Amino acid sequence: MADREDEGTAPHEEEPPRPPLDEDAAWAALIAGYDDDPEPGTAAAWPEAENVPVAPADPDPTDPAAVSTAPPPADRTIVIHPVISGPRDYELAEDDEEAHFVPPEPPPLPDADVTTKFAWIAVLGGPLLLLAFVLFQIELTWWAVTVGVGGFLGGFATLVARMRTDEEDDDDPGRGAVV
């Protein structure tokens, strides 16, 4: 990396070193001059177009000369809009019961045999056994880990092996989607 001296400008040797900045004094000066107005004749810190015009002072309502009794100018008009319905005035049309689709009652679930029931108990019970050991801070012994992991894997394998396959649809398995 090049130092600043190598960037094409030589350091000015006639400049005196600056004294360190007194941050506390700078903050105290800023706070002391917070509410002060700028000195007259100094340039504004922003463009003139951004200056906010000063509003005229409101007349004193107790002064009878300040209260105007003149009617408003004739070019002022009041427009009264008719009452129209809005989004909160919307009412639903009467529902026709025949217009809605009502699905038929699903058929009852088939009765599960004993092997399927024990497979589900193993799939769900194995991880629950391990979770109970961890939650109650009981030491995990070899038999608990074997029953938990083995029960899950054995139950899962039993459920997958006993899945039904529809033999009648296997006559042409490579046809893809049939419309």
Side-chain angles (χ1 to χ4, degrees), residues 13-97:
E13 296 174 4
E14 60 270 357
E15 284 186 25
R18 287 187 248 167
L21 179 64
D22 185 14
E23 290 183 15
D24 292 331
W27 278 109
L30 282 173
I31 292 171
Y34 181 74
D35 289 327
D36 294 343
D37 290 331
E39 294 183 19
T42 59
W46 54 81
E48 185 63 34
E50 293 186 11
N51 282 336
V52 178
V54 178
D58 291 333
D60 186 14
T62 59
D63 183 18
V67 178
S68 172
T69 57
D75 62 340
R76 288 179 96 186
T77 59
I78 297 174
V79 178
I80 299 175
H81 294 283
V83 177
I84 56 174
S85 62
R88 293 187 181 189
D89 298 328
Y90 180 76
E91 293 181 15
L92 292 174
E94 292 297 321
D95 288 336
D96 227 359
E97 288 189 26

Side-chain angles (χ1 to χ4, degrees), residues 61-138:
T62 59
D63 183 18
V67 178
S68 172
T69 57
D75 62 340
R76 288 179 96 186
T77 59
I78 297 174
V79 178
I80 299 175
H81 294 283
V83 177
I84 56 174
S85 62
R88 293 187 181 189
D89 298 328
Y90 180 76
E91 293 181 15
L92 292 174
E94 292 297 321
D95 288 336
D96 227 359
E97 288 189 26
E98 295 178 5
H100 293 292
F101 173 73
V102 178
E105 285 291 322
L109 293 174
D111 291 334
D113 60 341
V114 177
T115 306
T116 305
K117 289 179 184 177
F118 276 114
W120 276 110
I121 289 172
V123 165
L124 298 174
L128 286 176
L129 175 72
L130 295 175
L131 184 64
F133 269 76
V134 170
L135 287 178
F136 294 123
Q137 296 178 352
I138 301 172

